[in-house]
């Protein structure tokens, strides 16, 4: 990895300069954080699984006309993406009540929402990513009204697609987070989907049992987080080359040995 210039290290990913101008390499780590990085740990093989899950979902989304930064997966932990200017907003899409929504409004976890709810948070770790209204976004110029129209329209289409995709493999899409970026072409820019879509940023429950198959297992010390991520990958039909836990574990071992 040392052959490339590191641009940024985040909680779950490292960004390296890509081979051509305008490209970036996203490296997926096994590190996991929760509660604004107050809780830290690792989930064995998570980076390998998230790289694959995100590749799968971004590829399918491109096929239904959702533009994204994803170019191609390079190896077990890396993917090549287009360089964008990240819009400093986390877009949260909710179908059932969970997490901060239940705490904020006292709604029981698992309650089906009358319709899909979109919330926005300002991306600022020091402030703990506070919930904001569209008025704040306009007031402080974090995104234009036109950009927000593109973002909300894409978020709804992505939700419809993903709810169907996960529904088909016995998984309830409770909520998830999206990030968008500006892709520049001369003086103009357009909004495209960026970051990743994986069990790190989604709440995924088994339809029959409501068992959590996502990062809540880590957040709430439920145990079995590596197995939950593997189960999502398995149901999506990823890792056709072999057993997902063996592939992910092998890669984690290789990483620990520094190879
Ligand atoms: N989420 C995320 N990153 C964040 C905040 C939220 O990926 O910084 C995801 C989270 O995994 C969940 C959804 O967005 O699927 C809604 O999260 P919520 O607002 O309930 O906050 P949380 O309970 O995760 O703190």
């Amino acid at each position: 990895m040392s052959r490339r210039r590191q641009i940024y290290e985040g909680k779950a990913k490292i960004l390296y300069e890509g081979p051509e101008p305008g490209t970036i390499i996203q490296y997926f780590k096994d590190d996991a954080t929760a509660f604004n990085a107050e809780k830290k740990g690792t989930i064995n093989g998570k980076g390998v699984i998230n790289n694959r899950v995100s590749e799968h979902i971004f590829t399918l989304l491109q096929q239904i006309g959702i533009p994204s930064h994803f170019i191609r997966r390079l190896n077990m932990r890396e993917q090549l993406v287009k360089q964008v200017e990240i819009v400093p907003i986390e877009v949260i899409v909710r179908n059932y009540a969970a997490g901060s929504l239940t705490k904020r409004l006292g709604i029981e976890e698992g309650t089906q929402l009358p319709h899909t709810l979109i919330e926005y948070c300002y991306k600022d770790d020091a402030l703990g990513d506070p919930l904001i209204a569209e008025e704040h976004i306009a007031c402080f110029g974090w995104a234009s009204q036109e950009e927000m129209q593109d973002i909300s329209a894409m978020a709804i289409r992505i939700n419809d697609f993903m709810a169907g995709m996960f529904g088909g493999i016995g998984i309830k899409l409770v909520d998830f987070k999206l990030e968008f970026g500006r892709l520049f072409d001369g003086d103009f820019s357009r909004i495209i989907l960026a970051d990743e879509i994986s069990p790190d940023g989604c709440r995924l429950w088994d339809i029959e049992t409501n068992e959590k198959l996502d990062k809540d297992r880590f957040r709430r010390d439920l145990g079995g987080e590596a197995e939950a991520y593997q189960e999502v990958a398995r149901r999506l039909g990823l890792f056709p080359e072999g057993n997902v836990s063996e592939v992910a574990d092998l890669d984690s071992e290789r990483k620990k040995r520094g190879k």
Side-chain angles (χ1 to χ4, degrees):
M1 247 41 72
S2 54
R3 65 195 184 276
R4 303 192 186 104
R5 198 170 73 84
Q6 184 175 317
I7 298 172
Y8 173 80
E9 176 154 11
K11 286 172 273 194
K13 293 191 289 292
I14 306 175
L15 303 183
Y16 296 96
E17 217 166 52
E20 296 121 38
T23 63
I24 281 187
I25 293 168
Q26 286 199 137
Y27 175 93
F28 289 75
K29 301 192 281 187
D30 284 349
D31 297 351
T33 61
F35 313 118
N36 204 20
E38 272 171 40
K39 180 179 163 93
K40 290 194 176 93
T42 58
I43 301 174
N44 225 14
K46 170 173 87 78
V48 175
I49 292 173
N50 285 358
N51 187 20
R52 227 30 111 91
V53 170
S54 203
E55 170 197 24
H56 181 71
I57 297 176
F58 276 59
T59 302
L60 294 175
L61 288 173
Q62 281 173 354
Q63 287 168 9
I64 62 154
I66 303 289
S68 74
H69 73 162
F70 181 78
I71 301 173
R72 66 174 182 278
R73 186 169 60 83
L74 298 171
N75 54 46
M76 294 285 268
R77 287 183 183 269
E78 294 178 322
Q79 50 181 245
L80 186 66
V81 300
K82 292 175 190 161
Q83 186 167 25
V84 294
E85 179 184 275
I86 291 287
V87 176
I89 298 166
E90 293 192 339
V91 179
I92 310 286
V93 184
R94 300 182 185 275
N95 299 307
Y96 296 85
S100 64
L101 181 71
T102 61
K103 286 194 209 105
R104 209 181 321 122
L105 300 179
I107 299 169
E108 197 189 339
E109 181 179 65
T111 308
Q112 185 166 16
L113 302 177
H115 62 80
T116 299
L117 186 64
I118 299 192
E119 294 178 340
Y120 303 104
C121 294
Y122 180 50
K123 252 175 83 71
D124 188 315
D125 283 342
L127 299 175
D129 298 340
L131 181 74
I132 50 171
E134 285 205 63
E135 282 75 7
H136 295 94
I137 299 172
C139 183
F140 299 110
W142 292 322
S144 71
Q145 230 146 1
E146 210 186 335
E147 286 177 331
M148 288 311 293
Q149 272 169 15
D150 287 350
I151 286 174
S152 56
M154 275 194 254
I156 291 292
R157 285 201 70 209
I158 293 167
N159 181 55
D160 286 347
F161 177 82
M162 289 205 341
M165 180 189 74
F166 280 118
I169 53 170
I171 290 175
K172 199 189 271 183
L173 179 61
V174 173
D175 60 27
F176 61 98
K177 181 214 43 161
L178 298 171
E179 292 189 25
F180 293 87
R182 296 185 183 93
L183 183 67
F184 284 91
D185 182 7
D187 287 343
F188 296 94
S189 72
R190 67 179 179 122
I191 292 288
I192 64 174
L193 180 65
D195 193 44
E196 71 178 289
I197 300 180
S198 71
D200 264 8
C202 300
R203 283 198 173 89
L204 305 169
W205 296 0
D206 181 86
I207 282 180
E208 300 289 330
T209 64
N210 279 338
E211 186 189 351
K212 297 181 198 310
L213 300 172
D214 55 55
K215 209 169 86 174
D216 269 353
R217 300 208 73 84
F218 169 78
R219 290 190 190 98
R220 299 187 181 189
D221 292 322
L222 298 175
E225 45 270 45
E227 291 75 14
Y229 281 61
Q230 288 165 14
E231 177 64 10
V232 173
R234 195 189 61 74
R235 291 199 200 180
L236 284 170
L238 307 179
F239 297 95
E241 71 265 37
N243 179 301
V244 45
S245 74
E246 281 170 20
V247 175
D249 281 353
L250 260 178
D251 187 80
S252 291
E253 284 306 314
R254 204 176 298 134
K255 194 170 71 100
K256 277 182 211 145
R257 292 198 309 267
K259 286 185 190 158

